[in-house]
Amino acid sequence: MPDQRKMQKEPPAPVVFIVDDDLSMREALMDLFRSMKFEAQAFESATALMGVTNFDRPGCIVLDVRLPGLNGLDFQAQLERLGSKMPIVFMTGFGDIPMTVRAMKAGAVDFLTKPFKDQDILDAVAAAMERDAQRRRQHAQNEAIVSLADHLTPREREVMKAVVMGLMNKQIAYELGISEVTVKLHRGNVMRKMEARSVAELVRKAEVLGESVSPPVS
């Protein structure tokens, strides 16, 4: 029987999307990134990038602030509205403090003023790639937790919620109108199905699920 792990499709390689209306800058950045074995694609405007790009792909955007049509900051805001989490490294020849503050507050990884050193843009892109990778790893972990919780029965979910609120078995039994022995049985099932080795780990997983971890108000 074929190995299911080998049959799984490999995720696409991370890509650097370059957006700058200056052809010489686009070509220079393409050469730089490719010399460092990054996959890179270049566009003369944000609109051109929007027309062909799948923003679910791993990677980052190296984005000039001043662009024809949709400028870089407005493009950043549009991506946010679309739900894209792709990290952005801004670059500009006319940077100012308010512009930098706006970009960074909206989640930009870095804001570089031209001309910049090759190492500066490489460091910024590396940081952006790592941020994107961390976000994707966390998303995958959260999806795995949700998948585990899908195997809980309604009663087990009730017990889990009570456990993460800090209730003792005797209190849970009283609240749910069941015996303490039954609570222990459900609690064991919850720990096994959620693959939690401790209550603390169960609490962390419950937080991902949106379960309340605050003690009930007496």
Side-chain angles (χ1 to χ4, degrees), residues 29-111:
L29 289 175
M30 287 281 286
D31 289 343
L32 175 63
F33 294 138
R34 287 177 174 173
S35 73
M36 300 304 293
K37 309 303 181 185
F38 285 123
E39 182 177 343
Q41 298 177 23
F43 303 86
E44 63 181 356
S45 69
T47 303
L49 175 63
M50 287 287 291
V52 300
T53 299
N54 174 10
F55 292 106
D56 289 334
R57 183 173 179 179
C60 69
I61 303 171
V62 175
L63 181 64
D64 192 26
V65 172
R66 297 181 183 274
L67 293 167
L70 188 66
N71 69 45
L73 293 175
D74 289 342
F75 179 53
Q76 180 188 33
Q78 183 168 329
L79 287 179
E80 178 69 21
R81 289 192 295 271
L82 292 173
S84 171
K85 303 296 183 183
M86 184 169 281
I88 296 175
V89 175
F90 276 105
M91 54 185 179
T92 183
F94 307 94
D96 55 45
I97 292 176
M99 186 185 295
T100 304
V101 169
R102 177 182 167 186
M104 299 303 287
K105 279 188 174 182
V109 175
D110 210 337
F111 197 104

Side-chain angles (χ1 to χ4, degrees), residues 18-19 21 52 55 75 88 91 105 109 116-117 124 128 139 148 161 164-165 167 194:
I18 304 160
V19 187
D21 60 337
V52 300
F55 292 106
F75 179 53
I88 296 175
M91 54 185 179
K105 279 188 174 182
V109 175
F116 43 74
K117 297 178 181 177
H139 180 71
L148 292 175
K161 184 173 182 178
V164 301
M165 288 170 62
L167 297 184
M194 292 301 296

